[in-house]
Amino acid sequence: AQTVTQSQPEMSVQEAETVTLSCTYDTSESDYYLFWYKQPPSRQMILVIRQEAYKQQNATENRFSVNFQKAAKSFSLKISDSQLGDAAMYFCAYTSDNTDKLIFGTGTRLQVFP
Amino acid sequence: NAGVTQTPKFRILKIGQSMTLQCTQDMNHNYMYWYRQDPGMGLKLIYYSVGAGITDKGEVPNGYNVSRSTTEDFPLRLELAAPSQTSVYFCASSYSAQANYEQYFGPGTRLTVT
């Protein structure tokens, strides 16, 4: 069975600095998709970034980028130039075309200090 | 578009009571999902539907029932509420189960069973 592990319950960063959130996963599949979701205090789940396993190039969305290491089964999220609005819970998630569901990690709470 | 809407936002139930959590999407998505999020945890799939009239169990279906009579609506029914069902419930939808299609989430329902 696939699993997703986020080993950092909490992280903090100074405004304008860079922070990296870690995620590892376990799967026997070769084709799959990885996601980072943001959950601010409003509870709304917002897709931040997605990575297709068959793509070697790391995904980037503005200040958000990933470091996808397929062999190591690692999928970290880098937030550059952190802003106060980045404060939230961040969830790593996995899915594949062989499953109809998203498998979530337990989340990392990110605090951003001015 | 309103996206995915859920009602109610909050609810307190007594043990043994029943209730229905409502979920509606206006994006003409085929796939709909119900998740629960326990404190400090990621989301776990309760039930999902691939289209009107078709539903299937997720990871944690016990104590819940669903129906899908229309494309837009996917209500979740709790028949005999138990304290273990205290959680935040999220409804989501997507155009397809293919992993490159984003899941859109509703704002969640916070349920407390006492």
Side-chain angles (χ1 to χ4, degrees), chain A residues 38-57:
Chain A
K38 172 185 178 181
Q39 187 181 42
S42 66
R43 292 204 310 251
Q44 186 74 46
M45 294 286 285
I46 303 164
L47 178 65
V48 174
I49 199 165
R50 115 178 75 214
Q51 174 80 43
E52 293 89 344
Y54 63 85
K55 289 186 177 179
Q56 292 187 335
Q57 188 172 7

Side-chain angles (χ1 to χ4, degrees), chain B residues 15-102:
Chain B
I15 295 171
Q17 286 186 321
S18 301
M19 77 163 294
T20 299
L21 281 66
Q22 302 291 345
C23 175
T24 300
Q25 53 89 11
D26 62 358
M27 297 174 281
N28 201 31
H29 284 169
N30 294 317
Y31 285 74
M32 296 187 75
Y33 310 83
W34 273 107
Y35 295 90
R36 60 178 285 173
Q37 183 182 24
D38 298 330
M41 304 294 289
L43 279 67
K44 294 189 177 180
L45 184 66
I46 305 171
Y47 270 96
Y48 67 100
S49 169
V50 304
I54 306 170
T55 62
D56 209 346
K57 294 178 181 178
E59 190 181 353
V60 288
N62 291 344
Y64 306 94
N65 279 300
V66 294
S67 59
R68 184 97 181 269
S69 56
T70 67
T71 299
E72 296 78 18
D73 300 306
F74 189 41
L76 177 72
R77 178 91 178 149
L78 283 72
E79 290 294 349
L80 291 170
S84 61
Q85 294 177 305
T86 294
S87 191
V88 179
Y89 292 84
F90 288 94
C91 180
S93 73
S94 65
Y95 177 75
S96 168
Q98 294 302 310
N100 56 335
Y101 284 100
E102 178 181 350

Side-chain angles (χ1 to χ4, degrees), chain A residues 6-70:
Chain A
Q6 292 179 252
S7 58
Q8 304 158 315
E10 288 193 11
M11 292 284 285
S12 61
V13 64
Q14 207 88 31
E15 208 175 359
E17 296 296 309
T18 296
V19 65
T20 299
L21 308 184
S22 300
C23 173
T24 58
Y25 58 94
D26 189 28
T27 183
S28 58
E29 296 176 311
S30 57
D31 289 328
Y32 48 87
Y33 302 80
L34 298 162
F35 305 84
W36 279 99
Y37 277 88
K38 172 185 178 181
Q39 187 181 42
S42 66
R43 292 204 310 251
Q44 186 74 46
M45 294 286 285
I46 303 164
L47 178 65
V48 174
I49 199 165
R50 115 178 75 214
Q51 174 80 43
E52 293 89 344
Y54 63 85
K55 289 186 177 179
Q56 292 187 335
Q57 188 172 7
N58 288 327
T60 299
E61 288 286 344
N62 300 316
R63 297 182 295 108
F64 298 87
S65 61
V66 300
N67 183 6
F68 173 50
Q69 302 287 328
K70 191 171 183 180

